[in-house]
Amino acid sequence: MPRKRREDVIELTREKILDAARQNMAKHGSAGLSLREIARSIDMTAPAIYYYFASLDELITALILDAFNAMADALEVARDKKLSEGGTAAQALFEVCLTYRTWAIEHQTDFELIYGTPIPDYDAPSEITTPAAARSGDVFGKLIYMALQSGIFHPLPPYDVVPPAIADHLRELYNAPALDTEIMLSNYLTAVGWPQLHGIIMLEIFGHIGPFVGDVAAFYQQQVINMMKAIGFTEPF
Amino acid sequence: MPRKRREDVIELTREKILDAARQNMAKHGSAGLSLREIARSIDMTAPAIYYYFASLDELITALILDAFNAMADALEVARDKKLSEGGTAAQALFEVCLTYRTWAIEHQTDFELIYGTPIPDYDAPSEITTPAAARSGDVFGKLIYMALQSGIFHPLPPYDVVPPAIADHLRELYNAPALDTEIMLSNYLTAVGWPQLHGIIMLEIFGHIGPFVGDVAAFYQQQVINMMKAIGFTEPF
DNA sequence: TGTACATCAGTGAACGCGCGTTCACTGATGTAC
DNA sequence: TGTACATCAGTGAACGCGCGTTCACTGATGTAC
């Protein structure tokens, strides 16, 4: 058995620390993270952590980055699975929507970490987290774009036209005065659909909607279907 | 000038403490609440707080209760204003939807406190907070019910029928085997619409959707209109 | 109106605790010759 | 293969800090007679 390379051992220990941190979050919430408790739970001393992370804040940044990437990975896996089975972009989008909730429920503290209340007195370095944060949105947007291109998707009013103010905003954001209509539309429809999914999940994980509907998973799935149909997707997907 | 009654003075000081606590939350987030810092900011000593609240947890509970009630009050005021102007239930509902966001933005930390990540190691006494939490949902539900009753609102498919599983759940929740159809429908439609509004706000206050749409207020208003029309309300409202 | 007493609305010192971070150090492992 | 040295992956003690909470106390205010 070949000996492990030094960098790999370091990477392994970093992972061990991050895993312990995730369990620590699960126990006390992301705002309750304690470097000393993390160290204790893996039989290290607190200063040892500093060999792997420059500070607690840097550790938190690593957690956030991992969470954004893990969520995007999960969405991409769901998308690729469906597409490689010969599924349409619409079918892949449906799966991605379901996976968004599944991942959130199964990794609740990670989800809270990235989409919940920010940690007090911690400032995320946005130049690091923003690209990772954008990945998930891209999965939605690109599938909608794919569906538009392939001709299986014809948006219904009022979702067939990007409101002028938002179109202007997108042109500025992409820094492209002649931004492609279908790119703008897929961005806009992401902005329309995503919050609908997000809202259910947010209310669910903090216990506000369960009492109203009982089986949230079934309710969520139905809302995804309703949303996609409202936008203009036609079943089956 | 009549002298203030002792209980009034106590109530005033409680309010002063709670106000300071709200400012403390605005600074460090709800998870960063510090009894000592609250006391300092109003030139009291920390132990003095104990004359008004039995513990930090009890103070937090008071904040939560106030926040739920203040939000519900705001929604009710918006509703009553519209109705007293001769507006329809649909118009009042529209105003209430807009007020939901306005209140959230203007009282962001209060909104986070009740709908964001729970405070580490704090457990809300649900028998106290639940009734207050339910008030806001009731405003939505009752207006929808009113619109149904008045005949100005005829839900469109698929929103004209409560899914059987949810109907069963509601009958159990209300402990009423023969629960009125329109009551069930108004509960169901609240569960459909509320998360759509909620999702936008959650993403907005934590900075996730602004980059996509620019003017979130305008985007939100448009989504409220789309949602109400999708459910079956007819303009103008 | 004056005095005695009770209650009120706090203060100030102290408690034990856990925290993030620094620092000087050390034994184990890896490398060079 | 053996030895000398460098680096690695930590340890243990200590730092200063802010926290929630308790306790014994005190001066100001209100009440009774």
Side-chain angles (χ1 to χ4, degrees):
Chain A
M1 186 166 135
R3 169 164 287 129
K4 275 171 191 142
R5 286 171 52 242
R6 202 163 54 222
E7 298 83 37
D8 293 344
V9 175
I10 292 222
E11 194 41 51
L12 235 59
T13 309
R14 273 180 68 101
E15 261 323 309
K16 198 169 84 178
I17 293 169
L18 291 172
D19 276 339
R22 278 182 271 267
Q23 287 181 35
N24 192 229
M25 279 200 294
K27 212 170 155 194
H28 302 291
S30 54
L33 271 172
S34 152
L35 189 146
R36 293 189 99 108
E37 194 172 330
I38 292 166
R40 240 178 281 128
S41 73
I42 48 174
D43 287 317
M44 275 181 145
T45 58
I49 306 281
Y50 284 81
Y51 192 78
Y52 301 92
F53 298 93
S55 65
L56 176 61
D57 274 19
E58 202 187 77
L59 196 160
I60 292 173
T61 301
L63 285 173
I64 291 175
L65 208 58
D66 277 8
F68 273 127
N69 281 320
M71 156 146 258
D73 287 347
L75 299 185
E76 288 176 358
V77 164
R79 174 197 64 191
D80 294 342
K81 179 160 182 292
K82 203 70 195 177
L83 291 179
S84 72
E85 285 170 0
T88 64
Q91 289 171 324
L93 181 61
F94 180 65
E95 284 306 317
V96 165
C97 288
L98 296 186
T99 304
Y100 188 69
R101 175 177 171 277
T102 310
W103 192 89
I105 303 296
E106 284 173 2
H107 304 81
Q108 203 189 116
T109 48
D110 280 311
F111 190 80
E112 286 177 27
L113 178 66
I114 55 183
Y115 288 121
T117 315
I119 295 175
D121 303 318
Y122 164 80
D123 260 315
S126 61
E127 71 282 3
I128 292 177
T129 56
T130 302
R135 283 185 57 204
S136 290
D138 276 1
V139 177
F140 290 98
K142 288 198 173 128
L143 279 173
I144 295 174
Y145 182 76
M146 215 176 127
L148 282 168
Q149 289 280 316
S150 69
I152 60 163
F153 169 43
H154 304 281
L156 287 174
Y159 301 113
D160 53 341
V161 176
V162 180
I166 293 180
D168 287 345
H169 174 78
L170 287 173
R171 276 188 282 265
E172 203 172 311
L173 184 67
Y174 280 78
N175 197 21
L179 190 60
D180 183 81
T181 306
E182 293 189 330
I183 288 185
M184 291 204 286
L185 202 50
S186 54
N187 267 275
Y188 172 58
L189 294 179
T190 299
V192 167
W194 176 32
Q196 297 192 23
L197 314 185
H198 191 79
I200 299 175
I201 295 167
M202 276 303 202
L203 290 168
E204 176 182 10
I205 63 180
F206 299 139
H208 300 295
I209 202 175
F212 274 89
V213 300
D215 181 351
V216 183
F219 175 75
Y220 179 86
Q221 176 160 343
Q222 190 56 55
Q223 295 314 298
V224 172
I225 293 171
N226 291 345
M227 183 268 282
M228 284 182 65
K229 285 164 79 171
I231 287 178
F233 284 93
T234 48
E235 288 185 285
F237 43 71
Chain B
M1 186 166 136
R3 169 164 287 137
K4 275 171 191 142
R5 288 172 48 244
R6 201 161 57 220
E7 298 84 37
D8 293 344
V9 176
I10 292 223
E11 193 43 50
L12 235 59
T13 310
R14 274 181 66 101
E15 261 324 309
K16 197 170 85 180
I17 294 168
L18 290 172
D19 275 340
R22 278 183 271 267
Q23 287 181 34
N24 193 228
M25 280 201 294
K27 212 168 156 198
H28 301 292
S30 54
L33 272 172
S34 152
L35 189 146
R36 294 189 99 108
E37 195 171 331
I38 293 166
R40 241 177 281 128
S41 74
I42 49 174
D43 285 318
M44 276 184 143
T45 58
I49 306 280
Y50 285 81
Y51 193 78
Y52 300 91
F53 298 93
S55 65
L56 176 60
D57 275 20
E58 202 188 74
L59 196 161
I60 293 173
T61 300
L63 285 173
I64 292 176
L65 209 59
D66 277 7
F68 273 127
N69 281 320
M71 156 146 258
D73 288 347
L75 299 185
E76 288 175 0
V77 164
R79 174 198 64 192
D80 294 342
K81 179 160 182 291
K82 202 72 196 178
L83 291 179
S84 73
E85 285 170 0
T88 63
Q91 289 171 326
L93 180 61
F94 180 65
E95 285 305 317
V96 165
C97 288
L98 295 187
T99 304
Y100 188 68
R101 175 177 171 279
T102 310
W103 192 89
I105 302 296
E106 283 173 3
H107 304 81
Q108 202 187 117
T109 49
D110 280 312
F111 190 79
E112 286 177 27
L113 177 67
I114 55 182
Y115 288 121
T117 315
I119 295 175
D121 303 318
Y122 165 80
D123 259 317
S126 61
E127 72 282 3
I128 293 176
T129 55
T130 301
R135 282 185 57 202
S136 289
D138 275 3
V139 178
F140 290 98
K142 288 198 173 128
L143 279 174
I144 295 174
Y145 181 76
M146 214 177 128
L148 283 168
Q149 288 279 317
S150 70
I152 61 162
F153 170 43
H154 304 281
L156 287 174
Y159 301 112
D160 53 342
V161 176
V162 180
I166 293 180
D168 286 347
H169 174 79
L170 287 172
R171 277 187 283 263
E172 204 171 311
L173 184 68
Y174 280 78
N175 198 20
L179 190 60
D180 183 82
T181 306
E182 293 190 331
I183 288 184
M184 291 205 286
L185 204 49
S186 54
N187 267 276
Y188 172 59
L189 294 179
T190 300
V192 167
W194 176 32
Q196 297 191 22
L197 314 185
H198 191 77
I200 298 174
I201 295 167
M202 276 300 200
L203 289 168
E204 178 182 9
I205 62 179
F206 299 139
H208 300 295
I209 204 175
F212 274 90
V213 300
D215 182 350
V216 184
F219 175 75
Y220 179 86
Q221 176 160 343
Q222 190 55 55
Q223 295 313 298
V224 172
I225 293 170
N226 291 345
M227 182 269 284
M228 284 183 64
K229 284 164 78 171
I231 287 178
F233 285 92
T234 47
E235 290 183 283
F237 44 70

